[in-house]
Each structure stands twice: as C-alpha cells, then as structure tokens.
Amino acid sequence: MQKQTLLLALSFILSLFTSVFAATSKGIVQVQVISRHCDRTPWVKGYDIPKDPINWYSYLGLSEGQLTGLGQRQCFQMGEIIRNKYIVDSSSSKIIGIDTHYNQTHYYFRSTDVDRTLMSIWSASMGLFPHNGAKALDPNQNGINSFSLPNGTQALPIHTVSEVKDSLLLGFQLCNTVIRRYENVKTSIPYVNFFTKNRDFIDRLYAETGWTNGDDSIGVLFDLLTVQISHQLLSIQWVLENWNQIDSMRNDYLILFYNYKVCGKEGMSVLIQTLIENMQSLQKKYIHYSAHDTTLQFLAAGLMLTEDYPYLGGQPPYGTNMAFELHQMSDGSKSIRVVYNHGFNDTSFTPLVLKSLGCADEFCPLNSFISGTNSNSITKDWCLACDNSDNTVCADEFLKQKDSLGVAFVISTPILAFTNVVTLLIAIVACVKLRYFQKNYEETEYLRQ
C-alpha cells in the first residue's frame, strides 16, 4: 500500500514537473489556411426540386456553380475574421513580423481554377485588406499621393492551374486509386445499411420533394435543398420542419466516403507535402488556399483527423476553413497547431489534436508531424501510387521518366560497346598469356625429367 502511494506521488510530481517545464509558444511565425468557397448556385446542371423548382439564372442571372452575392459577403466576413485573428496589430495571435497591408513577400494566394473559388478568395481578400487599407499609393498630377484603386481597394495575385493538373488541391479526384476506393463504397455493407436504416425517412423525403432520380443521386438533392434554404427560397414545409434530421442524415452519408480508408496516403499527399515544405522554407508568412468542401473533407481524412473527429467527414458549411499555425516554441523548436472554423462566421478557431498521427496535444512538434505524415499521409511517388499512367496530371512525370530511360540507353549503349571491346581484348591477351605459361610449364616439367 505504501509502495503504491509512493508511486502515485512520484507520478504526480513528474507530471507537475513536465507541465511546468514543457515548451510553450513564443508566437506564430506562419499560417496556412485552406478554405471552402462560399454560397453558390446549385452545381449540377439539369436538376431542380420537382415540387419547388427555382430558375437560378432568371433569379440571379447566374449559371450552375457560380458564387452568389450572398457568397461574396460571406467570404468577405471570413476574411475579416482571419485578419482579426492573425494580421491586426492588436491580436495576441498576430503572425510575427507580418505586414498588415498586402506585401508579396509575406502573402501568397492559390485557388482551384473554378470561378467560385477564385471569386471567394478575392472576396476574402477584401476582408483581409479592407478598404482604405491598401498600401499601393501613386502620386497624382499634383504630386500628392493617392490610392491606386477606388476606396483604397488592394489588388493581389491569385495563382491557379487547370483542374486536370491540380494535384495540389484536387489530388483526390485525379487519383485513380482513390477514385476506385470511393466507388467501392457504393457496394459496401455500410452503404447498404445506411439506406436500409433510413429507408422510410428517405422515401418520405423523395415524396415531399417529388424526387424520382433514385438513391445514387441523393447527394444532388441534398445540395439543391441546401442552396434554396440558404436563400430562404424553400417552401416545402415538411423539409423545413425536419431539416436538422435531413442535415444529420446527409452527414452520415458523406462520412461513408470521406474517411482515411478511402483517402489513404494518396488522396491529399501532394497538399500535405507542400504544407510541410512551406513550413520548412518559411518563404511566406501567410498562405491561403481557396478550394472546395471535398478538399477539406479529404484533407481531414488524409491527416487521419476523421478517425478522431468523424464530423470532419460530414458537410462543411460555406466558408469553412482549416488553419495550420506554425509556432516558435520556447525551447527553440517549432510546433504546428491545427485549428478549425465551421463556417464563414465561426470565430472559435477550434484546436484539433492530431492523435492518430502520434501528437499528444494541440501543439504538435514539427518533427513529429513530419514523421507521422510520412508514415500515414504522404506517398513518395504520387503518380505511381495513384496508377495514373493514363492521367493528364501525370503526363509530364511519365514523359520525364521515358526521357530519362532514353537518355540512359543512349549514354549506356556506347559505353557498353566500348566495355565489350575492352573485355574482348583482355580475354585475348589472357588467352595468349595462358598459352605462353602452359608452354613454359610443359618445357620446365620436361627438363626436370
């Protein structure tokens, strides 16, 4: 009994000692944000809710998947929230040394090549760098400095690549290995069980909305309902009364697809590797990636966060964002902290602990993060792991490999020919010498007799 009490006391003292002398953050040196675009029109062409149709082009003058005016306001608000957290001088979480105005050496913006994501990051930038906050001043004809653009609006570059080559932000949908695993979900037992469990409620949903396109397109129905509710244009009373249950059911459905089992190492390998490279190089202080709900869902899955926080595989609202803070620690090391805002107006910056990658608390040592992701989230040869020999995104990579083989063959062929000639000459000389020694040996043996 005394021995047990002593052990407990020692354990308590050790934990107290560890907590007192544990490294603490001295400040944030870099932030990388991945955000979902904000409100848009329905993204699938040719579908509407049969019992409550909306002609979005007539209503807003916008075609499928376009950012709405509401979406612009939402992303502007998201930008303001991020600015107040990481950029303004008065924030305790301000990135060390960052310019509060746009500065190309501090900031970098990247988007998928889709109208709504490009417009979303532009709208967010208006919140990051508010009116009358632009740094670009030019002298007018009277020699007096004035803003270059009206109201002090700040122009900034937004980088992108074509969708078919965007392995950074859309790698999961360009990877054949992930696509096959995703499609296999549709024949899995959990998928069948989901529809069996919810059959009566789903059939009622179909009846109330007039949906006749079947279970395979239930995701499209969820999206149509979400957009109309977002604009307060849905008039089906049963759906409005049961929306919380519909939304919960949708999340259960999506979690079947957005998890580590489907994503694996391949799904977000390129993005996670790039995040690490940015942390190591520290060439920029603030990096913002504008992407999609699926980007956030697969990123959470690739980092195994969906193992500990399954809701991250569900539907992220418009403007949801995940930030990777790089902290300078008191012992000279660096740690990362992942925080999450569930929607454009969320100000919580909720910490996410990377437990399944081996991190003990919200401040994960950078070396531990790199080790954990190398083991679980990153593949060395993404194109090969994705079986992408027939995919445009990997065409350059495979061409390089073929060129390398061709160069190697061209170089090796004359070398091999030269080597063969030398080998042949050595063999001839060896045979001559052998014959000479044999003759001398025979003559010597004869003389001895």
Side-chain angles (χ1 to χ4, degrees):
M1 184 67 179
Q2 289 181 341
K3 184 178 180 182
Q4 196 172 21
T5 304
L6 180 62
L7 287 173
L8 287 172
L10 288 172
S11 177
F12 174 76
I13 293 170
L14 181 61
S15 63
L16 184 64
F17 179 85
T18 303
S19 63
V20 170
F21 292 96
T24 57
S25 173
K26 295 179 67 177
I28 300 173
V29 295
Q30 183 192 70
V31 171
Q32 299 183 73
V33 176
I34 300 91
S35 64
R36 186 194 178 192
H37 60 78
C38 294
D39 183 83
R40 53 153 172 77
T41 55
W43 64 277
V44 180
K45 187 175 183 179
Y47 286 90
D48 58 22
I49 301 171
K51 290 189 177 181
D52 196 10
I54 296 289
N55 186 323
W56 289 97
Y57 190 81
S58 297
Y59 180 67
L60 293 176
L62 298 172
S63 57
E64 298 79 15
Q66 295 296 307
L67 193 73
T68 64
L70 174 61
Q72 293 177 47
R73 288 197 298 274
Q74 290 173 346
C75 275
F76 170 76
Q77 188 173 346
M78 175 186 70
E80 283 187 317
I81 291 170
I82 293 173
R83 174 182 173 81
N84 290 332
K85 176 73 171 179
Y86 296 119
I87 297 174
V88 298
D89 290 326
S90 58
S91 174
S92 60
S93 299
K94 182 187 177 184
I95 301 168
I96 297 172
I98 197 167
D99 197 328
T100 56
H101 302 88
Y102 174 71
N103 179 331
Q104 75 277 8
T105 64
H106 289 183
Y107 295 91
Y108 179 83
F109 298 91
R110 167 74 154 80
S111 173
T112 58
D113 190 22
V114 180
D115 288 354
R116 60 183 175 272
T117 53
L118 289 161
M119 293 175 68
S120 287
I121 192 61
W122 186 87
S123 300
S125 75
M126 301 292 283
L128 290 168
F129 311 108
H131 280 178
N132 299 318
K135 199 172 184 179
L137 297 173
D138 285 325
N140 59 23
Q141 291 179 347
N142 298 320
I144 301 173
N145 281 340
S146 62
F147 289 118
S148 305
L149 296 175
N151 303 314
T153 301
Q154 175 64 61
L156 72 159
I158 301 169
H159 304 268
T160 191
V161 300
S162 64
E163 286 186 82
V164 295
K165 290 191 175 183
D166 198 351
S167 58
L168 181 70
L169 297 177
L170 299 173
F172 51 90
Q173 72 180 39
L174 299 174
C175 178
N176 289 326
T177 304
V178 175
I179 292 170
R180 283 194 289 268
R181 290 199 292 254
Y182 186 96
E183 291 299 320
N184 287 340
V185 171
K186 297 177 182 178
T187 57
S188 68
I189 293 175
Y191 184 87
V192 173
N193 289 343
F194 167 82
F195 282 100
T196 301
K197 175 185 174 183
N198 296 287
R199 188 74 270 165
D200 291 343
F201 188 79
I202 290 172
D203 287 344
R204 178 70 185 273
L205 177 63
Y206 291 166
E208 293 290 342
T209 58
W211 193 254
T212 59
N213 295 292
D215 292 341
D216 287 344
S217 61
I218 194 172
V220 177
L221 177 59
F222 287 144
D223 182 67
L224 291 168
L225 293 170
T226 300
V227 176
Q228 287 190 211
I229 286 178
S230 182
H231 287 262
Q232 299 181 350
L233 292 173
L234 190 72
S235 60
I236 302 173
Q237 194 60 34
W238 183 87
V239 172
L240 295 172
E241 291 172 355
N242 291 276
W243 180 247
N244 287 339
Q245 185 174 348
I246 294 170
D247 190 43
S248 176
M249 184 176 67
R250 171 179 59 179
N251 287 331
D252 290 341
Y253 173 78
L254 292 173
I255 288 169
L256 296 172
F257 295 91
Y258 299 103
N259 54 67
Y260 185 73
K261 185 177 180 181
V262 174
C263 180
K265 285 186 173 185
E266 302 89 355
M268 296 307 292
S269 176
V270 178
L271 177 57
I272 294 169
Q273 180 63 51
T274 301
L275 292 174
I276 291 172
E277 290 171 358
N278 291 337
M279 293 173 192
Q280 292 173 324
S281 69
L282 284 177
Q283 292 183 356
K284 303 292 181 182
K285 293 181 178 293
Y286 180 87
I287 300 170
H288 196 135
Y289 299 103
S290 180
H292 307 265
D293 51 0
T294 48
T295 307
L296 283 167
Q297 289 164 300
F298 267 120
L299 178 58
L303 291 170
M304 304 185 78
L305 282 166
T306 51
E307 303 297 295
D308 303 310
Y309 307 93
Y311 74 90
L312 293 175
Q315 182 65 61
Y318 295 128
T320 291
N321 52 89
M322 186 183 292
F324 292 75
E325 303 171 349
L326 183 63
H327 289 255
Q328 181 66 57
M329 306 303 284
S330 57
D331 63 357
S333 66
K334 289 185 173 64
S335 291
I336 73 154
R337 182 172 179 259
V338 183
V339 296
Y340 183 79
N341 283 336
H342 195 63
F344 68 92
N345 58 352
D346 186 1
T347 61
S348 67
F349 293 89
T350 303
L352 301 173
V353 181
L354 295 157
K355 299 175 187 176
S356 293
L357 289 185
C359 301
D361 57 46
E362 61 189 78
F363 289 96
C364 181
L366 180 57
N367 289 337
S368 297
F369 178 71
I370 293 172
S371 175
T373 51
N374 280 337
S375 299
N376 300 285
S377 310
I378 297 172
T379 179
K380 292 182 179 179
D381 189 331
W382 182 77
C383 286
L384 185 63
C386 286
D387 189 22
N388 272 7
S389 59
D390 60 343
N391 202 319
T392 302
V393 70
C394 290
D396 292 343
E397 183 67 26
F398 282 102
L399 283 173
K400 285 179 184 177
Q401 291 179 10
K402 287 183 178 180
D403 288 344
S404 298
L405 288 172
V407 170
F409 178 76
V410 170
I411 292 173
S412 64
T413 299
I415 293 174
L416 287 172
F418 175 75
T419 303
N420 289 339
V421 170
V422 171
T423 303
L424 180 61
L425 290 174
I426 291 173
I428 292 172
V429 170
C431 288
V432 170
K433 285 187 174 182
L434 180 62
R435 180 59 186 158
Y436 172 76
F437 287 129
Q438 284 179 337
K439 184 177 180 182
N440 283 346
Y441 175 77
E442 291 171 357
E443 289 177 354
T444 303
E445 289 298 305
Y446 174 77
L447 291 174
R448 282 179 182 175
Q449 290 179 6

